[in-house]
Amino acid sequence: MQIKAHIITIGDEILYGQILDTNAQWMSQQLDAIGIKVTQRITIGDVKSEILETLEYSEKRADIVLITGGLGPTEDDLTKPCLAEYFKVGMEINEQALGEITEMFRRFKKELTPLNRLQANLPSNCTMISNSLGTAPGMWFYENQTVFVSMPGVPFEMKEMVSTYILPKLQEQFELPRVYHKIVKTIGIGESWLADKIKPWADELPKDIGLAYLPSLGEVKLRLTVSGKSNNLETRVAEEIEKLKVYAGKYIYGYDSDTIESVVGKILLERNETIATAESCTGGYLAHMITSVPGSSAYFLGSVIAYSNDIKMSQLGVQKATLDAYGAVSEQTVIEMSEGIRRKYGTTYGMATSGIAGPDGGTPEKPVGTVWIAFSGPEGTRTRLLSLAKDRLLNIQASAKATLALAWQTFSQNS
Amino acid sequence: MQIKAHIITIGDEILYGQILDTNAQWMSQQLDAIGIKVTQRITIGDVKSEILETLEYSEKRADIVLITGGLGPTEDDLTKPCLAEYFKVGMEINEQALGEITEMFRRFKKELTPLNRLQANLPSNCTMISNSLGTAPGMWFYENQTVFVSMPGVPFEMKEMVSTYILPKLQEQFELPRVYHKIVKTIGIGESWLADKIKPWADELPKDIGLAYLPSLGEVKLRLTVSGKSNNLETRVAEEIEKLKVYAGKYIYGYDSDTIESVVGKILLERNETIATAESCTGGYLAHMITSVPGSSAYFLGSVIAYSNDIKMSQLGVQKATLDAYGAVSEQTVIEMSEGIRRKYGTTYGMATSGIAGPDGGTPEKPVGTVWIAFSGPEGTRTRLLSLAKDRLLNIQASAKATLALAWQTFSQNS
């Protein structure tokens, strides 16, 4: 039987968008990894009636209800009294909790205020969960066949409780299946074209292996999910990926945490080759993507960002005649830029970008979003024309990613 | 009467924790800014029964229900058929939507597949919302006194729809209180130090003006919020900001949508001066920040990214003796880099960075997170030593921001 969990986040600051709810994502990952299915996440404000209603709602639908937030010492924190009311029990000072809070204040040489003493006041039906990093204890309840866990919202306090106490106790209490996810990363093809291409494979996929499309800027990820008790989940998924390669192999650049910049970097490292960039419209973002990979200094030597035509000429050797005849945003210019940087920095490969990132600067022939990219190496120079949209930042990011994709495509065709 | 909204996010990839739900936070901020109270956020999976149940749940509790996700062309996207079933209507091809999708494919010179054509198939009771950045249209419903809006989950597509169509239409449809937010942006001081400095001012702030601290990487924003029917909200807040300047004026670099890169750019533009960067550890990110500002080509000429010492010497004129004596991560090296790029590109100012971004490469004397930055101009060169943390990406971003802050501080002290 699939064990279901709800995650309830309590806090006005999340509802108003003042902070990002990273806790819920982290808890989802932890539960998923031990085979518990999160079926719903709910965020509510510091309002008693909403907390009570949501507890009842979740109890009806889930085996496990994880609650964060609303446990601080100040007046707007309501979770504990709500839990006591919900379970129809009183509050009492938990001696173990009081001992731990007292000890923490002693250690930090601070005075224990009456407000802090109240943090040891807990609903009488709970099992106290130690908080080794803060003063608000967690609470474990088991009522009406449902586990309720209440934790502080401070991320590192919550994470410590989940890792050391809550996950092991859930694994003890429930019989859980194994769940295995594999992410296949593709580039150079849109979601619907990819779906068309791999339809014969997707139609034949065993029913218990789930498939999801996760598109993001310039790439599409495929997620394969399978769960069960057997030990061969990895093998079964690996076999399906081999079959998938027949239809879409040439678009698959990596798996799981791979990125196009890390994959290109790995190829360069293995080949003991180097790269440099010559950037106009990407303005350094391409170099930033490459250097965001730890250890990139082994293959990335540097860049020339040439926003002005003077610098394109003086630093990259672009010919004045080329700029006059074709303009800065042209195939001829990116070819000269990519070959120029390769020569100047003495690298195996050179990459170049030149385009109109926007929002202004377009013309009827070259509207905003027109970008030329080039990749130059010992075997010649390849170029590509991109027709992007109106958003400056997205155009910059998409152009840089497309240039890395062009490098990867060149490598994989030649290998 | 307070208008209430629910935000529903549909997608297994969020429930499993594979992606962070930044959409919900952004929508919360937008609704809050126009006086709509978000009372609940709910995340559910791609499961028909859950979608139907949640629609009913939210309809009972909210005036506005914003839904994202589940609108792609592939089979795992369920939102549209669920909406049609929920409203007991059929699906039909929306001619305007089909026209826009066809036009988008024509513009990108791609073939319209049957799967893409289906994206124009919408529940018959909806008003179509154009998607200028993608192929899945949005949908606006008004049923049983409740507004339902369904949008794609792709962040930039959703944001464009919300900004250009949904917020204006909500303001038209509901009588909303006037809410006025003013964001004051500070740089160069941490949250608790700032709070100490401005305490006398904060203690005297009128009770109906809310104050929130919004810390982010390398800066702290203060948000002042006031709501009401009167027309003098702006004036009252402006008066308080004048008083705030007595305590914290030298840290305030801008307001609302200002960024440190846009403020530095504006100063350069007004002075008709130019800048270039010489980057080691920031690897192009500093140039990227500068060039993310539209129109930056008026003052930004270009950069040399010098990851290798050879390029620091050959392209920026850093002395071999300097590198031998002090190392690449040193005050002397960033001084020579910033002065070198200024000379080479003939700009008014030069900026430079050199440091150990991590995760590896630290030594006991120069641990990971050690970064030197420099800002050079006609009146000399200023430097700063940063001691950052272990995270590579955060170190890169914080170093670039600190370099822009150093430029801004120099400008504001000399003006």
Side-chain angles (χ1 to χ4, degrees), chain B residues 42 47 161 243 336 367:
Chain B
I42 304 169
V47 180
M161 282 186 194
K243 296 181 204 161
E336 292 183 20

Side-chain angles (χ1 to χ4, degrees), chain A residues 21-79:
Chain A
D21 189 6
T22 54
N23 280 353
Q25 182 193 26
W26 188 85
M27 285 189 283
S28 292
Q29 290 169 340
Q30 303 305 309
L31 294 175
D32 182 55
I34 63 166
I36 294 169
K37 191 175 173 72
V38 177
T39 56
Q40 214 168 123
R41 293 194 334 209
I42 304 169
T43 306
I44 49 177
D46 299 305
V47 180
K48 187 174 153 184
S49 59
E50 297 244 345
I51 297 174
L52 291 172
E53 188 185 35
T54 305
L55 288 171
E56 196 187 335
Y57 176 87
S58 290
E59 183 185 308
K60 282 192 195 134
R61 289 163 178 81
D63 306 292
I64 300 163
V65 182
L66 298 188
I67 306 154
T68 57
L71 289 186
T74 51
E75 287 167 9
D76 55 346
D77 287 315
L78 281 167
T79 309

Side-chain angles (χ1 to χ4, degrees), chain A residues 173-325:
Chain A
Q173 182 139 358
F174 296 97
E175 199 174 314
L176 300 170
R178 286 189 60 231
V179 180
Y180 176 66
H181 293 291
K182 185 84 184 175
I183 310 257
V184 181
K185 300 200 164 174
T186 73
I187 203 158
I189 184 167
E191 182 181 3
S192 55
W193 290 273
L194 181 64
D196 278 347
K197 264 197 196 301
I198 68 175
K199 192 169 185 307
W201 169 81
D203 288 346
E204 293 295 317
L205 202 61
K207 287 288 160 270
D208 67 328
I209 300 185
L211 170 67
Y213 291 81
L214 311 174
S216 61
L217 190 71
E219 59 182 284
V220 179
K221 296 166 207 152
L222 298 173
R223 189 192 57 220
L224 294 158
T225 304
V226 62
S227 66
K229 295 211 167 133
S230 74
N231 283 321
N232 71 345
L233 304 181
E234 286 82 351
T235 318
R236 287 187 57 215
V237 168
E239 283 167 8
E240 293 305 325
I241 289 174
E242 283 310 306
K243 294 182 205 160
L244 169 66
K245 284 183 182 167
V246 176
Y247 300 95
K250 69 178 200 171
Y251 305 106
I252 300 172
Y253 74 81
Y255 302 91
D256 300 324
S257 64
D258 289 340
T259 59
I260 189 68
E261 56 271 27
S262 74
V263 167
V264 166
K266 210 173 143 199
I267 294 170
L268 292 168
L269 203 60
E270 279 166 2
R271 297 182 174 201
N272 202 20
E273 294 178 334
T274 56
I275 200 159
T277 75
E279 303 181 47
S280 183
C281 69
T282 48
Y285 194 79
L286 176 55
H288 166 62
M289 282 184 79
I290 296 171
T291 58
S292 68
V293 179
S296 46
S297 57
Y299 50 84
F300 175 74
L301 300 196
S303 301
V304 167
I305 319 280
Y307 239 48
S308 80
N309 280 350
D310 283 350
I311 289 177
K312 287 188 185 77
M313 292 187 284
S314 66
Q315 302 303 320
L316 293 169
V318 175
Q319 300 296 308
K320 187 169 185 309
T322 306
L323 292 170
D324 288 345

Side-chain angles (χ1 to χ4, degrees), chain B residues 266-283:
Chain B
K266 211 172 144 201
I267 294 170
L268 291 168
L269 203 60
E270 281 167 2
R271 298 181 175 202
N272 203 18
E273 293 178 335
T274 56
I275 200 158
T277 76
E279 304 181 46
S280 184
C281 70
T282 48

Side-chain angles (χ1 to χ4, degrees), chain A residues 53-187:
Chain A
E53 188 185 35
T54 305
L55 288 171
E56 196 187 335
Y57 176 87
S58 290
E59 183 185 308
K60 282 192 195 134
R61 289 163 178 81
D63 306 292
I64 300 163
V65 182
L66 298 188
I67 306 154
T68 57
L71 289 186
T74 51
E75 287 167 9
D76 55 346
D77 287 315
L78 281 167
T79 309
K80 280 192 305 188
C82 284
L83 285 164
E85 182 171 336
Y86 184 71
F87 294 122
K88 301 188 177 62
V89 298
M91 301 272 284
E92 57 188 37
I93 289 286
N94 182 301
E95 289 303 326
Q96 192 191 339
L98 184 61
E100 291 183 6
I101 294 168
T102 309
E103 169 60 21
M104 177 159 286
F105 275 74
R106 200 193 54 74
R107 196 147 55 90
F108 291 116
K109 301 184 176 58
K110 299 233 169 146
E111 198 197 341
L112 187 70
T113 64
L115 212 54
N116 289 118
R117 210 185 125 83
L118 273 181
Q119 299 210 270
N121 207 29
L122 306 180
S124 63
N125 64 331
C126 81
T127 304
M128 191 274 281
I129 305 174
S130 298
N131 183 346
S132 59
L133 302 170
T135 54
M139 289 161 275
W140 176 287
F141 303 87
Y142 185 64
E143 297 281 351
N144 313 322
Q145 314 279 316
T146 308
V147 169
F148 294 82
V149 184
S150 168
M151 295 166 277
V154 183
F156 58 88
E157 298 180 16
M158 176 280 290
K159 287 179 185 176
E160 176 73 9
M161 280 186 195
V162 168
S163 304
T164 60
Y165 184 95
I166 297 161
L167 294 178
K169 193 154 169 170
L170 289 173
Q171 285 175 307
E172 221 177 270
Q173 182 139 358
F174 296 97
E175 199 174 314
L176 300 170
R178 286 189 60 231
V179 180
Y180 176 66
H181 293 291
K182 185 84 184 175
I183 310 257
V184 181
K185 300 200 164 174
T186 73
I187 203 158

